[in-house]
mmCIF file of all heavy atoms in Angstrom:
data_model
loop_
_atom_site.group_PDB
_atom_site.id
_atom_site.type_symbol
_atom_site.label_atom_id
_atom_site.label_comp_id
_atom_site.label_asym_id
_atom_site.label_seq_id
_atom_site.Cartn_x
_atom_site.Cartn_y
_atom_site.Cartn_z
ATOM 1 N N LYS A 341 4.593 6.257 49.854
ATOM 2 C CA LYS A 341 3.516 7.215 50.135
ATOM 3 C C LYS A 341 2.175 6.512 50.354
ATOM 4 O O LYS A 341 1.477 6.784 51.325
ATOM 5 C CB LYS A 341 3.397 8.237 48.988
ATOM 6 C CG LYS A 341 4.686 8.995 48.694
ATOM 7 C CD LYS A 341 4.532 10.002 47.560
ATOM 8 C CE LYS A 341 4.145 9.414 46.217
ATOM 9 N NZ LYS A 341 5.158 8.520 45.612
ATOM 10 N N SER A 342 1.828 5.605 49.424
ATOM 11 C CA SER A 342 0.536 4.908 49.555
ATOM 12 C C SER A 342 0.519 4.029 50.800
ATOM 13 O O SER A 342 -0.482 3.993 51.521
ATOM 14 C CB SER A 342 0.264 4.033 48.329
ATOM 15 O OG SER A 342 0.107 4.834 47.192
ATOM 16 N N GLN A 390 -6.756 6.354 43.934
ATOM 17 C CA GLN A 390 -6.428 6.719 42.554
ATOM 18 C C GLN A 390 -7.473 6.176 41.572
ATOM 19 O O GLN A 390 -7.887 6.868 40.653
ATOM 20 C CB GLN A 390 -5.056 6.118 42.266
ATOM 21 C CG GLN A 390 -4.456 6.504 40.966
ATOM 22 C CD GLN A 390 -3.041 5.934 40.843
ATOM 23 O OE1 GLN A 390 -2.474 5.378 41.780
ATOM 24 N NE2 GLN A 390 -2.487 6.082 39.666
ATOM 25 N N ASP A 467 -5.213 9.508 47.913
ATOM 26 C CA ASP A 467 -4.009 8.901 47.336
ATOM 27 C C ASP A 467 -3.973 9.132 45.827
ATOM 28 O O ASP A 467 -4.635 8.433 45.070
ATOM 29 C CB ASP A 467 -3.965 7.396 47.638
ATOM 30 C CG ASP A 467 -2.597 6.804 47.316
ATOM 31 O OD1 ASP A 467 -1.699 7.564 46.861
ATOM 32 O OD2 ASP A 467 -2.417 5.589 47.513
ATOM 33 N N GLU A 468 -3.211 10.109 45.424
ATOM 34 C CA GLU A 468 -3.089 10.486 44.006
ATOM 35 C C GLU A 468 -4.451 10.517 43.316
ATOM 36 O O GLU A 468 -4.696 9.772 42.365
ATOM 37 C CB GLU A 468 -2.141 9.512 43.291
ATOM 38 C CG GLU A 468 -0.738 9.563 43.859
ATOM 39 C CD GLU A 468 0.290 8.962 42.910
ATOM 40 O OE1 GLU A 468 0.063 9.005 41.690
ATOM 41 O OE2 GLU A 468 1.308 8.469 43.402
ATOM 42 N N VAL A 498 -1.705 12.710 48.883
ATOM 43 C CA VAL A 498 -0.532 12.292 48.120
ATOM 44 C C VAL A 498 -0.767 12.766 46.693
ATOM 45 O O VAL A 498 -1.808 12.469 46.105
ATOM 46 C CB VAL A 498 -0.377 10.758 48.134
ATOM 47 C CG1 VAL A 498 0.778 10.345 47.223
ATOM 48 C CG2 VAL A 498 -0.167 10.247 49.555
HETATM 49 MG MG1 MG B 221 1.241 5.289 45.556
#
Side-chain angles (χ1 to χ4, degrees):
K341 304 180 299 295
S342 295
Q390 187 175 352
D467 192 0
E468 297 198 28
V498 175

